[in-house]
Amino acid sequence: MDKVGSFDAEGFYEALDAQRQSRRLNWKQVAAASGVSASTLTRMAQGKRPDVDGLAALAAWSGLAVDDFVRGADDAVREPDSLAKISTYLRSDRNLSPEAATALDGLIKVTYERLRSDSE
């Protein structure tokens, strides 16, 4: 199976560098502020991709939207389906524990499957 999308690690690193420069920080300070290791930032400078937790930490620190660096085969913007949106919202809801979000997510998915129209 061919992959549909890819992550523009170089573009993300360049945008991250712009954030670093605008805040007048060095890379060691970025590592400390974001919670990622300095070696992760060094590897990124060499064209390597960060792991998912490192990417999340750097995106949170910088305010960069990771979606802006995901490239599709045709670079068309695809809208996630309703269930994916609901799942994302539930898991990011600070009023729900991870267990509660998972339980609600499961309930909604089962109910959705039962009630959705067969127009597909």
Side-chain angles (χ1 to χ4, degrees), residues 20-32:
R20 177 191 69 79
Q21 290 177 19
S22 73
R23 294 180 189 189
R24 296 187 171 138
L25 300 174
N26 62 42
W27 285 111
K28 187 175 181 180
Q29 291 169 315
V30 171

Side-chain angles (χ1 to χ4, degrees), residues 34-96:
S34 65
V36 302
S37 68
S39 62
T40 294
L41 296 171
T42 300
R43 284 192 304 275
M44 288 177 66
Q46 297 166 347
K48 306 284 190 236
R49 296 173 185 203
D51 65 21
V52 130
D53 291 332
L55 179 63
L58 290 167
W61 172 82
S62 66
L64 296 170
V66 174
D67 287 352
D68 292 343
F69 302 93
V70 174
R71 307 290 180 246
D74 57 4
D75 240 0
V77 177
R78 293 200 170 99
E79 185 71 20
D81 68 271
S82 299
L83 286 178
K85 289 180 187 177
I86 291 168
S87 183
T88 301
Y89 289 133
L90 288 173
R91 292 174 193 287
S92 65
D93 188 329
R94 293 186 175 133
N95 295 311
L96 297 173

